[in-house]
Amino acid sequence: MTASTRDLQERGLGATLRRDAWWVAPALTALVLGGFGVYATWAAWQGAHYEWGPYLSPFYSPLLRPSWWLLSPAFLILVFPLGFRLTCYYYRKAYYRAFFLDPAGCSVGEARHDYKGETRFPFILQNVHRFFMYAAVVFIFILGYDVFLALRWPVNGVLPDGAMAPGPTELGIGVGTLVMALNVVLLAGYTFGCHSLRHLVGGGVDCFSCARGGRTRYRLWRGVSALNGNHMAWAWCSLFSVALTDVYIRLCAMGVITDLRIL
Ligand code: FES
């Protein structure tokens, strides 16, 4: 008697008729997301080496250092970018497969068969994604302002401890400026292609030409939709760029590498 795909799914975790290497994608996702989680936690705990000259790590921006806060300043702001990624529609699919194996892949058996969607605690909290999206949009402008500041170099140079020398500033570009700018571009591509943002600008409208501000909304919806089509690619590229930007600034601050001044 032959087994149907449904039979195999109900037989248990990993049962499948698929002959391709379906497990590679969830395994890679677990490796990369897990590695990012470990690195980001470590970098946030450090509370040091997050700025050098006019550069500031994205893990610490905006930089808030109130006297009553005794932990790393990263913990004051990381809930926003972290919450945005954790509740992202794409990442949900990715980490449900990678970490919960629920399901591990299309047409692959699961360990449990009582899926209730995201209608119960704790997964119902995923519905706050829209609110994290509002914060993420604000963060794009904050990180953009950091790039602007990374164009302003002290005339008297950067001190040996990485601080800006007192005195006037001038226009300048270092490799770190470009790294930070690329990071903002990739984060903007990810943020402005968000499914929630797409719904916000174009959802609930049957007829753009009949709706108030319809022409503008249509243009915004087209733009968000164009980015949304490659949301997965933006998600991964921006994840790497955030980590690499922090690594670059951290290595400059620790004196392991020397930033190259281009202009
Ligand atoms: Fe991915 Fe909103 S759905 S960022």
Side-chain angles (χ1 to χ4, degrees), residues 84-85 87-92 129 133 190-191 193-197 228 231 235:
F84 184 54
R85 294 226 178 221
T87 57
C88 164
Y89 289 71
Y90 165 67
Y91 278 118
R92 273 141 79 170
H129 183 64
M133 181 269 290
Y190 171 58
T191 304
C194 170
H195 291 72
S196 284
L197 183 62
N228 182 264
H231 194 52

Side-chain angles (χ1 to χ4, degrees), residues 15 17 31 48 58 74 98 123 154 170 172 180 194 205 219 224 233 246 248 262:
L17 291 172
L31 195 68
F123 296 109
E170 62 182 357
M180 290 173 67
C194 170
V205 179
R219 287 191 183 131
V224 175
D246 179 84
Y248 184 85
I262 299 169

Side-chain angles (χ1 to χ4, degrees), residues 52 175 248 251-252 255-261:
W52 182 86
V175 170
Y248 184 85
L251 293 180
C252 288
V256 176
I257 60 173
T258 305
D259 181 63
L260 187 64
R261 180 84 177 265

